[in-house]
Amino acid sequence: MPRPGKNSYSDQKPPYSYISLTAMAIQSSSEKMLPLSDIYKFIMDRFPYYRENTQRWQNSLRHNLSFNDCFIKIPRRPDQPGKGSFWALHPDCGDMFENGSFLRRRKRFKLLRVEHSPCKSTPVLHSYHSHPHTQHSLHQSHHHSGKLGMGHPEYLGTMGRLSHFQSYTLSGGQSGSFKHPFAIESLIGRDYKGVMASGLPIASVMHHLGYPVPAQLGGMVNSVWPHVGMLSESVPVSSDYPPFSVAMKGLYHHPGTQSMPAVPVPIKPTPTLGTVPSLTGMTQGVTQICPRTASLMERDGTPLTEEKSASLHPALLQS
DNA sequence: TACTGTTTAGCGTTCT
DNA sequence: AGAACGCTAAACAGTA
């Protein structure tokens, strides 16, 4: 192992999984979503290692995007020409790297799904006309099992039978009464007034998708998430890895509630990273879209009406 | 045609 | 030991 130092990692494989890297890229964007090509670009810009063998790692990355439920696909609007969709992080995947390792997740983020059909489709961020409060996760229990898309009749059918506004649940023994720390009711319950589940700058996404953004929402987002956009700033931390300044963890972290090392600790022995404090909580507090609001966003670009806006959770709109 | 997205498969590593 | 996770390869379909 080369001695950690200036540029010593420049062409070494970064100690981050593709999921981490993708999450970084998405997080780095002001809109919290990126097309595939921009994810590639982000990774190649910051990690010279990935400027080679592009076919190999890009294939892997695409596989990860499709396979992992923590990534959701956001279709382009008709007036947004371009290839492919936007990719964002799932509303409830902010806790994947709880142990601080960005090489291996503490637990895999999985949606709960009914397993019947081998077909799979990535959850797409648009309404499928289910009850707006019933967007839900269905269990999926096997690594390579089939999945049902949100648009699948069985998926919807199951959703329809679910109780009113249950939070997303994580599989792996945490379903049931488990409340994800970034679930909206958890946040509201802890007096995170105005903070969305995991904090996606929803006004930003809504704006991006071409929906009118309620002034209260925009203002709330700006005031609650002053760090939004920080990622694009270049804060010199290490010459080995570029910084990703997301201060989200700090917003949620309370002493004694979670243990998160100040510096990410790769499970696999890797050279000392030096100090990469800005990585702390990068994927922990990944900013997400509120499922409730996601369901309001129609695939066909139907404007978000005032009624729809008003039906957003009151906690999100109160000034 | 190149890119994007999905799926399957196999293997290695790490965790429980 | 088995499960879970991560990486890679590859085939294939859809699309700009």
Side-chain angles (χ1 to χ4, degrees):
Chain A
M1 281 297 205
R3 182 176 169 275
K6 202 162 189 163
N7 298 323
S8 59
Y9 296 97
S10 52
D11 47 12
Q12 262 203 318
K13 188 169 188 174
Y16 311 119
S17 66
Y18 290 122
I19 294 173
S20 296
L21 292 168
T22 307
M24 285 180 202
I26 293 170
Q27 277 302 109
S28 76
S29 69
S30 56
E31 308 289 349
K32 304 304 169 195
M33 58 182 184
L34 283 177
L36 184 62
S37 57
D38 285 357
I39 296 174
Y40 292 158
K41 193 160 167 283
F42 174 93
I43 293 173
M44 286 191 287
D45 282 351
R46 286 160 176 76
F47 301 100
Y49 173 86
Y50 291 108
R51 289 170 194 165
E52 295 173 0
N53 302 315
T54 53
Q55 210 151 20
R56 186 199 298 177
W57 70 263
Q58 288 179 354
N59 184 23
S60 295
L61 193 142
R62 287 196 304 274
H63 162 79
N64 274 276
L65 282 171
S66 288
F67 182 75
N68 289 290
D69 289 337
C70 58
F71 299 113
I72 55 177
K73 205 168 64 178
I74 301 175
R76 288 175 187 265
R77 284 186 292 118
D79 60 327
Q80 290 177 310
K83 216 167 185 179
S85 307
F86 288 91
W87 290 93
L89 288 155
H90 191 279
D92 228 15
C93 71
D95 203 23
M96 289 187 302
F97 298 93
E98 192 168 332
N99 65 355
S101 169
F102 294 96
L103 187 63
R104 188 183 177 91
R105 289 173 293 178
R106 186 179 65 82
K107 57 181 173 254
R108 185 174 172 216
F109 177 79
K110 285 181 286 194
L111 290 178
L112 301 175
R113 290 188 175 95
V114 175
E115 293 189 49
H116 278 301
S117 163
C119 74
K120 182 273 176 186
S121 62
T122 301
V124 179
L125 186 63
H126 54 65
S127 168
Y128 270 103
H129 315 297
S130 56
H131 189 286
H133 284 273
T134 57
Q135 184 147 1
H136 200 273
S137 304
L138 304 175
H139 188 60
Q140 182 211 350
S141 61
H142 192 270
H143 180 62
H144 285 141
S145 60
K147 297 181 177 184
L148 291 179
M150 284 181 178
H152 194 286
E154 293 186 12
Y155 189 105
L156 294 175
T158 307
M159 287 175 67
R161 292 193 294 272
L162 295 170
S163 60
H164 185 262
F165 193 49
Q166 296 176 28
S167 65
Y168 281 78
T169 57
L170 296 177
S171 59
Q174 297 197 12
S175 58
S177 62
F178 173 77
K179 289 271 197 303
H180 190 278
F182 299 106
I184 191 163
E185 62 269 55
S186 297
L187 297 176
I188 293 168
R190 283 185 281 162
D191 197 27
Y192 288 104
K193 189 162 94 177
V195 180
M196 310 214 46
S198 306
L200 182 80
I202 188 162
S204 170
V205 172
M206 289 167 69
H207 172 77
H208 182 93
L209 293 176
Y211 301 103
V213 180
Q216 307 99 303
L217 188 54
M220 177 274 289
V221 168
N222 290 336
S223 60
V224 173
W225 298 100
H227 63 281
V228 167
M230 287 172 62
L231 282 170
S232 51
E233 299 171 13
S234 185
V235 183
V237 175
S238 159
S239 60
D240 303 327
Y241 292 112
F244 304 99
S245 315
V246 179
M248 282 166 269
K249 180 61 182 179
L251 290 169
Y252 296 105
H253 182 72
H254 297 288
T257 57
Q258 282 190 4
S259 59
M260 180 72 175
V263 175
V265 183
I267 293 170
K268 206 172 194 172
T270 56
T272 307
L273 288 177
T275 54
V276 195
S278 58
L279 275 168
T280 301
M282 174 192 59
T283 51
Q284 204 102 27
V286 283
T287 57
Q288 302 300 333
I289 233 177
C290 172
R292 172 75 180 93
T293 306
S295 70
L296 295 172
M297 299 176 178
E298 297 288 346
R299 180 188 216 169
D300 59 5
T302 302
L304 188 64
T305 62
E306 278 190 23
E307 290 148 286
K308 285 178 178 178
S309 299
S311 68
L312 288 170
H313 196 288
L316 303 177
L317 296 175
Q318 57 187 258
S319 51

